[in-house]
Amino acid sequence: MLFILLSGELWYSNRGLYQRCQKGVMAMSGHSKWKNIQGRKNAQDAKRGKIFQKLAKEIYVAAKNGPDPEANSSLRLVIEKAKAANMPNDNIKRAIEKASGSQNAEHYEEITYEGYGPGGVAVMVTALTDNKNRTASNVRVAFSRNGGNLGENGCVSFLFDRKGYLVIEREGLEIDEDGMLLAAIEAGAEEMETSDEVFEIYTDPEQFMDVKKNLEEKGFTFARAEITMVPQNTIALDEAQKEKMERLLDRLEDDDDVQEVYHNAE
């Protein structure tokens, strides 16, 4: 384990993960969200149209509280998420305009489901739905048919931390790991994890936009930029359990009402 003093703060490194040392306590998750994202990239690429559709729904719901992202922080966050996903600006604009239409009566309710996947993996599902009974039934079936079970609210959420999440791809980037760490610290980040492909930067969710802006001013762009749920620990699965977990994720992500799925499988 390597300790580094940068900008008056003590940070430590273990296997590419950098964190601030706070009150002498070192807590390390070692979880790379990007690995899970990339592991499912081909399937996600094939569903890009559905991803844009779900983002448009998020923008629509957020824009109901005001069409100006400068005055509506929820809208600003989802627009940043959409831009990082390469959603066309015209699509973003249409979703905002749709929400602003006085005759549009669509109403979506945000619901979070919690449960367990194969091997006891903790799973959180967020949904935007205009029919709670339909969504609850679909989510329950997805769990039960793929080695899991739907639980009560609060049964797994305590196993996750809400974090700001920024991904910077290293290809073509003229900065090494130490330089990126210094830039992240100066921007106000909490943690940074390094791999051959990317720098993953985690922030306090309340500081997310400030950290993002500070890094953008240094010339960095993002492959992903969002508020997410990060597992405190991960669970290893055998091959049979991995196959069931993949089927569960596919079933949930295919549901039009499901916006995000978080889990703590390795």
Side-chain angles (χ1 to χ4, degrees):
M1 185 172 288
L2 173 67
F3 289 85
I4 306 171
L5 184 65
L6 286 173
S7 301
E9 295 178 315
L10 185 62
W11 284 56
Y12 68 95
S13 167
N14 192 344
R15 297 181 182 178
L17 176 65
Y18 290 89
Q19 288 183 289
R20 282 194 182 99
C21 297
Q22 298 179 347
K23 299 181 181 178
V25 177
M26 297 183 297
M28 192 179 94
S29 65
H31 174 76
S32 173
K33 184 177 175 67
W34 186 251
K35 290 179 182 177
N36 279 323
I37 293 169
Q38 289 301 95
R40 299 179 55 73
K41 187 175 186 301
N42 290 337
Q44 292 300 314
D45 284 347
K47 300 174 185 176
R48 185 167 297 276
K50 179 164 285 191
I51 292 171
F52 289 167
Q53 178 184 348
K54 293 184 177 188
L55 285 167
K57 188 190 289 187
E58 277 193 72
I59 293 168
Y60 170 85
V61 171
K64 280 292 186 180
N65 294 318
D68 181 4
E70 294 303 317
N72 183 343
S73 60
S74 296
L75 179 58
R76 186 165 67 249
L77 285 172
V78 71
I79 288 175
E80 295 294 337
K81 178 180 175 182
K83 286 181 176 179
N86 294 318
M87 185 175 181
N89 287 331
D90 286 347
N91 294 38
I92 295 172
K93 183 179 178 181
R94 279 198 299 270
I96 295 173
E97 290 175 345
K98 182 180 178 182
S100 302
S102 59
Q103 297 182 354
N104 197 302
E106 288 184 23
H107 175 73
Y108 297 102
E109 185 172 352
E110 184 173 1
I111 304 175
T112 299
Y113 301 95
E114 301 180 34
Y116 299 92
V121 167
V123 182
M124 291 181 64
V125 181
T126 64
L128 287 174
T129 180
D130 57 0
N131 186 324
K132 292 190 294 183
N133 292 335
R134 177 192 66 220
T135 307
S137 175
N138 290 346
V139 171
R140 186 177 294 107
V141 169
F143 274 91
S144 64
R145 291 185 179 177
N146 294 284
N149 60 281
L150 195 60
E152 299 292 330
N153 285 345
C155 67
V156 300
S157 57
F158 68 94
L159 299 172
F160 296 80
D161 294 319
R162 188 168 179 264
K163 296 280 188 180
Y165 180 61
L166 297 163
V167 177
I168 298 173
E169 292 180 325
R170 298 187 68 175
E171 184 177 357
L173 202 62
E174 295 182 1
I175 190 170
D176 61 13
E177 186 174 351
D178 291 339
M180 189 68 246
L181 173 60
L182 180 58
I185 294 171
E186 292 176 342
E190 286 189 340
E191 304 173 20
M192 188 183 86
E193 186 162 358
T194 302
S195 67
D196 291 339
E197 296 82 21
V198 297
F199 296 114
E200 294 175 87
I201 297 170
Y202 297 89
T203 79
D204 182 299
E206 301 302 321
Q207 300 299 317
F208 171 73
M209 291 303 298
D210 289 339
V211 174
K212 181 176 181 293
K213 180 181 178 182
N214 290 340
L215 290 171
E216 283 176 332
E217 289 176 350
K218 294 177 182 290
F220 295 107
T221 58
F222 308 100
R224 204 165 180 101
E226 62 192 32
I227 302 294
T228 189
M229 301 298 289
V230 179
Q232 297 165 4
N233 296 287
T234 56
I235 294 177
L237 300 177
D238 61 29
E239 288 304 314
Q241 290 169 333
K242 286 180 181 178
E243 289 183 9
K244 289 183 179 179
M245 189 67 195
E246 285 293 324
R247 289 199 298 269
L248 172 59
L249 294 175
D250 283 341
R251 181 70 178 265
L252 290 170
E253 290 169 355
D254 276 342
D255 192 305
D256 289 341
D257 295 333
V258 172
Q259 295 298 118
E260 297 287 351
V261 182
Y262 308 107
H263 62 85
N264 67 347
E266 284 187 357

